[in-house]
Amino acid sequence: PWTAEFTKLNDEPLAETRFRDTQPPEAGPHFYRVVALGAEAAEVAYSMLARTQPPPVREVHAARRADGAVQLSWQPAAGPAVVGYNVYRAAAEPLYLWGEHFDPAKDAGEFVRLNREPLHQTRFTDEAAAGPTQASETAWPPFCVYVVRAVNALGIESGPSPATLSI
């Protein structure tokens, strides 16, 4: 299990059920909790944790076009704070698709972000993945592995989507 050290953000008890953090945390996921106060301002109950990281994208589809480019599409991340998406690609070693299991943690190289700014749509075309347009016994398009990460208004990314292999 993990532990977290919480810092009190307000000096006086709040009368409202809303709070805005005027000093947003540094990059990366952060957690918040609310503490209910009883008599003499004693802490009596704690809320569930709220995190700044958006939920991950759950479904990514990849299809290689006739020109060799890879078209990606995905279902939107379930969360109102998602403002866009980042797409990542890693090279993968060719494998025998009918007999080998693909393990992205073992078989994929280093992931590189493909877009400069978060994408607002749930699709992306990777033109740079194009290789030979006709597969043959001696020439295959490069194998690529893709993940998509949701991005919130603070610029914090979700965890990766499930890895998707394009062949």
Side-chain angles (χ1 to χ4, degrees), residues 2 25-32 49-58 77-84 86 88 148-161:
W2 56 271
E26 297 175 14
H30 288 76
F31 298 87
Y32 291 86
L49 296 181
R51 64 188 291 165
T52 59
Q53 189 176 30
V57 172
R58 299 267 183 224
V82 173
V83 298
N86 287 329
Y88 292 82
V148 178
R149 293 176 179 259
V151 180
N152 68 14
L154 296 173
I156 297 171
E157 292 186 327
S158 70
S161 66

Side-chain angles (χ1 to χ4, degrees), residues 54-61 73-78 82 84-86 122 147-151 158-164:
V57 172
R58 299 267 183 224
E59 246 181 87
V60 180
H61 305 282
S73 63
W74 56 90
Q75 296 297 317
V82 173
Y85 302 92
N86 287 329
T122 57
V147 296
V148 178
R149 293 176 179 259
V151 180
S158 70
S161 66
T164 300

Side-chain angles (χ1 to χ4, degrees), residues 5 10 15 20 39 41 54 73 103 116 120-121 130 138 145 152-153 167:
E5 186 174 317
N10 56 309
R20 181 174 181 88
S73 63
D103 179 357
R116 287 194 177 127
H120 299 292
Q121 65 275 11
T138 58
V145 182
N152 68 14
I167 54 172

Side-chain angles (χ1 to χ4, degrees), residues 2-167:
W2 56 271
T3 59
E5 186 174 317
F6 289 92
T7 304
K8 187 175 178 181
L9 299 177
N10 56 309
D11 295 325
E12 298 293 324
L14 301 175
E16 303 172 355
T17 58
R18 293 179 157 222
F19 177 79
R20 181 174 181 88
D21 189 351
T22 57
Q23 298 177 352
E26 297 175 14
H30 288 76
F31 298 87
Y32 291 86
R33 73 175 178 190
V34 176
V35 179
L37 302 177
E40 299 179 21
E43 295 182 0
V44 294
Y46 299 96
S47 70
M48 299 282 289
L49 296 181
R51 64 188 291 165
T52 59
Q53 189 176 30
V57 172
R58 299 267 183 224
E59 246 181 87
V60 180
H61 305 282
R64 190 167 293 276
R65 297 188 325 202
D67 65 0
V70 176
Q71 276 188 295
L72 300 163
S73 63
W74 56 90
Q75 296 297 317
V82 173
V83 298
Y85 302 92
N86 287 329
V87 177
Y88 292 82
R89 176 186 65 221
E93 291 297 319
L95 62 143
Y96 179 66
L97 296 173
W98 294 268
E100 292 181 44
H101 172 74
F102 176 74
D103 179 357
K106 180 180 69 144
D107 299 327
E110 186 174 331
F111 283 92
V112 176
R113 191 164 108 183
L114 301 179
N115 52 301
R116 287 194 177 127
E117 297 294 322
L119 304 169
H120 299 292
Q121 65 275 11
T122 57
R123 64 188 180 285
F124 179 79
T125 301
D126 184 8
E127 305 284 348
T133 56
Q134 296 293 322
S136 71
E137 290 180 20
T138 58
W140 278 80
F143 283 36
C144 298
V145 182
Y146 295 91
V147 296
V148 178
R149 293 176 179 259
V151 180
N152 68 14
L154 296 173
I156 297 171
E157 292 186 327
S158 70
S161 66
T164 300
L165 177 66
S166 86
I167 54 172

